[in-house]
Amino acid sequence: MKPGRVVMLVLGTLSALLGLGLLAAAAGTGWLNIQQRDEGFFTPSTERFEASSHAITSIGLDIMVGQRLPDIIPSDTAGSILVRGVSATAGKDIFIGVARQEDVARYLDGVRRSEIRELNLRPFRVEYRDVPGTRTPARPTAQTFWAASATGAGTQELRWDLMPGSWAVVVMNADATAPVAADLQGGIRSDLLWPLFVGLLIAGIVLLAIGVPLIVAGAMGLGRHGLPPQRPTAGPPAAVPAGGGSPYSAGPAGGGVATPPPPSAVGLFSDAPYPARLSGNLDPALSRWMWLVKWFLAIPHVIVLFFLWFALIVTSIVAWFAILFTARYPRSLFNFNVGVLRWSWRVSFYAFTAVGTDRYPPFTLARTDYPADFDVDYPERLSRGLVLVKSWLLAIPHLLIVGVLAGTSRAWVASDDDWSGYGARYAAGGSFSLIALLTLIAAVILLFTGRYLLSMFDLLLGLNRWVYRVTAYVALMRDEYPPFRLDMGPSDPGEAVPSNPPKGQS
C-alpha cells in the first residue's frame, strides 16, 4: 500500500472521528440548552427534604476555587442556580440562603445540622450526615453574610448567579427551630450553553470537512491499482487434475473464466451464483493450540481494520451519492471497499470465525494466494432507485438473519430497587453469536482430537458467505438481492469446485 495514501486515510479518520465526537457533544449541549424551559432553568421535580436538626445544608459547591471567571465571560451569563421551596410544617415560614462555606460553618458552629452527603434524582434518594450540636442558632434572617436569600410563608424562590469560591445552600425554618421539613426544587441555567453549542457544532463540521476528503482521497489512491485479476465464476466446474484436487487445501488457480449471469438471473430463490464470492481453504496441518493465541496475534490487523472500516462507511456514503446521480459506483472506491472486506475476511478466517489456517494474513487490500479470499464483480451500472432503499429497507430480512449469525444478544432483567420501590431494568448476561459459538466448538474439538470437523467447517463457510454477501449488498456494491441460501463448503458456487478432502481431516 502507498504510504502517502495510508497517512491520508489515518489522518482523515482521526479528524472525522474527532469531528463526530464534537458534533455529539454539540447535540448534548443543545439538548441541555433546550431543557432550560422553566423560566430559563433546568429543573427536576419537587421533592421532600426533612431532618430532625435545625438546618439542612448542601454538599459544598466549589466554583473555580482560587481562580476567577475570564473577563470575556460576564458573571451574569456564566450560570445561575434556582432553589424554590415551601415549608412542609404548618404555620412555619421557610428560609433559603446561599453563603460562603466558612460563613455558614461559623454560623452553625455547635448547632445540630444535617449535611446532604448523597443526592440522587431518578429515583429520588437523599442521605444526610448528622452533625451533633447543642446550641440554638440565631434567626437566619438576622445574618448579613448571605449572598442571596429568600424567606417567608408559602413558596419562596432564591436565584443566585454563580461566583468563584466555595459556597453552601442552607434551608431552615425562619425562626431557626427544629425539625426542618420542606418541599424543594432546584434548578440551574447557563447562557453559555448556546455559544458552546455553536462552537462545538462549527468545530465538528470543520473537522468533518477536513477528514472526509482525506479519507476519500486516500481510499481512491489505495483502490486505484487497476482491475483485480479475474477468477472463475459461473459455469461448469473445471476438470479435476489427475491425482485429485481438494477444496480444503490451497492450490494454484486454474480453469477458465465463464461469463457471469445477467443481474436478472440472481434473485431471491435463484440457484445462480451470487456475484459476491467468498472462499476459504482449510489448512490440513492446523496446530491444535495456536487458535488460543490467534486473537492476540491479530491485534495489529484489528487496529488497521478499525481505520479501514471507518473509511469504508465514509466511502459507501460517497458512493451512494455517486450512484444516485451517475448510476455508477466509482471504480477506485469499489476496489477499496472490496479490499477492506477481503482483508476483514482473511483476518476473520485466521482468528475469529473459522480459525481455518495458521498462516498469518498479509497486510494488503489486493488479492493474494492466501487461503481465504473474497471478491465482488464490478457492476457497470447500478439502479438509482434501488440505492434509496436497498441498504436499509430491502435488506431488513437479511439483516435480521445476519444479526443472529454474527450479532450479539443481551438479556434484559427486571429488578426491584431496594430503597425506592420502583422497578429498574438493567442489561444482564453475556453476548454471543452463532458463528462465534460454532467456531469455538470446532476449535475445542481440534484442541482435543487434532482434527477439524469438515462438516463444521463447511457450515461455518456457508454462514460467513451469507454474512459477506449481505455486507456487499448493504455497501451498495450490487443490485442483485442476496439469495436466502446457505451455500456451504470452502468454494463459492461461482468457482471451480474440486473434490476429495485431505487426509487427516474428517
Side-chain angles (χ1 to χ4, degrees):
M1 293 191 294
K2 301 178 181 179
R5 300 297 182 177
V6 173
V7 171
M8 292 175 65
L9 200 67
V10 172
L11 292 179
T13 299
L14 293 176
S15 177
L17 284 173
L18 182 57
L20 290 175
L22 292 178
L23 290 178
T29 304
W31 179 84
L32 288 175
N33 188 61
I34 293 173
Q35 298 307 304
Q36 297 182 147
R37 292 173 293 189
D38 186 357
E39 300 182 36
F41 286 85
F42 174 73
T43 55
S45 59
T46 300
E47 302 292 349
R48 174 66 58 85
F49 292 76
E50 52 187 344
S52 58
S53 60
H54 289 274
I56 297 175
T57 62
S58 68
I59 304 172
L61 182 61
D62 295 325
I63 305 171
M64 300 182 67
V65 177
Q67 305 178 44
R68 60 188 298 271
L69 294 172
D71 293 334
I72 61 173
I73 301 178
S75 61
D76 59 344
T77 63
S80 304
I81 65 170
L82 165 73
V83 182
R84 183 183 293 138
V86 60
S87 176
T89 304
K92 292 287 186 181
D93 293 348
I94 190 173
F95 173 85
I96 307 170
V98 176
R100 295 189 180 274
Q101 290 184 26
E102 58 267 25
D103 293 331
V104 172
R106 282 194 299 268
Y107 170 58
L108 296 178
D109 184 33
V111 176
R112 185 183 178 192
R113 60 190 183 275
S114 301
E115 294 182 351
I116 297 176
R117 306 309 303 166
E118 183 176 346
L119 178 63
N120 296 319
L121 298 178
R122 294 184 180 179
F124 176 76
R125 177 180 179 235
V126 60
E127 288 185 359
Y128 301 99
R129 182 175 75 90
D130 190 60
V131 179
T134 57
R135 186 174 68 85
T136 300
R139 288 176 176 266
T141 53
Q143 311 306 310
T144 59
F145 56 77
W146 303 109
S149 64
T151 186
T155 301
Q156 299 297 311
E157 188 176 280
L158 176 148
R159 299 191 185 201
W160 177 66
D161 294 332
L162 297 176
M163 299 291 292
S166 297
W167 304 86
V169 178
V170 180
V171 178
M172 302 175 65
N173 293 323
D175 57 5
T177 58
V180 179
D183 294 324
L184 300 175
Q185 181 184 42
I188 188 169
R189 70 178 295 274
S190 176
D191 292 337
L192 293 177
L193 289 178
W194 174 250
L196 181 60
F197 162 75
V198 173
L200 291 173
L201 181 64
I202 293 175
I205 293 175
V206 169
L207 286 173
L208 276 181
I210 295 173
V212 170
L214 285 175
I215 291 173
V216 174
M220 293 182 68
L222 294 174
R224 196 180 294 118
H225 51 69
L227 298 177
Q230 292 180 311
R231 65 181 301 168
T233 54
V240 179
S246 172
Y248 300 96
S249 58
V257 178
T259 303
S264 60
V266 185
L268 275 68
F269 305 105
S270 171
D271 291 331
Y274 193 70
R277 297 177 299 277
L278 179 143
S279 62
N281 299 305
L282 182 63
D283 188 342
L286 278 176
S287 167
R288 289 173 178 249
W289 59 267
M290 193 173 177
W291 63 270
L292 293 169
V293 297
K294 285 180 179 178
W295 65 269
F296 178 77
L297 299 177
I299 288 178
H301 279 284
V302 173
I303 295 173
V304 175
L305 285 172
F306 170 81
F307 291 94
L308 292 178
W309 268 95
F310 187 85
L312 181 144
I313 295 172
V314 173
T315 53
S316 295
I317 295 173
V318 174
W320 185 92
F321 287 99
I323 297 169
L324 183 64
F325 291 104
T326 69
R328 293 179 62 86
Y329 203 122
R331 186 59 185 262
S332 57
L333 295 184
F334 183 89
N335 290 343
F336 172 80
N337 288 347
V338 172
V340 173
L341 294 179
R342 181 182 297 125
W343 194 326
S344 298
W345 168 232
R346 289 175 187 149
V347 176
S348 185
F349 182 81
Y350 169 77
F352 301 113
T353 65
V355 292
T357 183
D358 293 336
R359 179 179 168 187
Y360 199 71
F363 286 84
T364 179
L365 299 170
R367 300 186 65 188
T368 66
D369 62 348
Y370 194 74
D373 192 30
F374 179 76
D375 198 19
V376 183
D377 294 334
Y378 178 73
E380 293 300 332
R381 292 188 64 82
L382 291 167
S383 169
R384 291 186 176 97
L386 282 178
V387 77
L388 298 172
V389 294
K390 68 179 180 181
S391 61
W392 63 277
L393 180 60
L394 300 182
I396 287 177
H398 274 294
L399 292 176
L400 294 175
I401 296 173
V402 168
V404 174
L405 300 182
T408 59
S409 175
R410 284 188 177 274
W412 287 83
V413 181
S415 69
D416 291 331
D417 190 272
D418 294 336
W419 37 261
S420 70
Y422 296 99
R425 291 186 176 272
Y426 59 92
S431 60
F432 64 90
S433 74
L434 177 60
I435 291 179
L437 178 62
L438 294 177
T439 302
L440 178 62
I441 293 173
V444 171
I445 294 174
L446 172 66
L447 177 65
F448 288 100
T449 68
R451 294 175 177 269
Y452 198 124
L453 292 180
L454 294 186
S455 58
M456 184 75 77
F457 180 79
D458 289 346
L459 176 59
L460 283 171
L461 265 290
L463 296 176
N464 279 287
R465 187 169 289 122
W466 194 319
V467 170
Y468 275 79
R469 286 172 178 171
V470 174
T471 303
Y473 181 77
V474 171
L476 311 175
M477 296 179 183
R478 300 296 305 191
D479 281 344
E480 297 88 348
Y481 199 71
F484 288 91
R485 189 176 68 231
L486 190 63
D487 291 323
M488 298 191 298
S491 298
D492 198 277
E495 300 174 317
V497 182
S499 58
N500 301 330
K503 296 180 181 180
Q505 307 295 334
S506 60

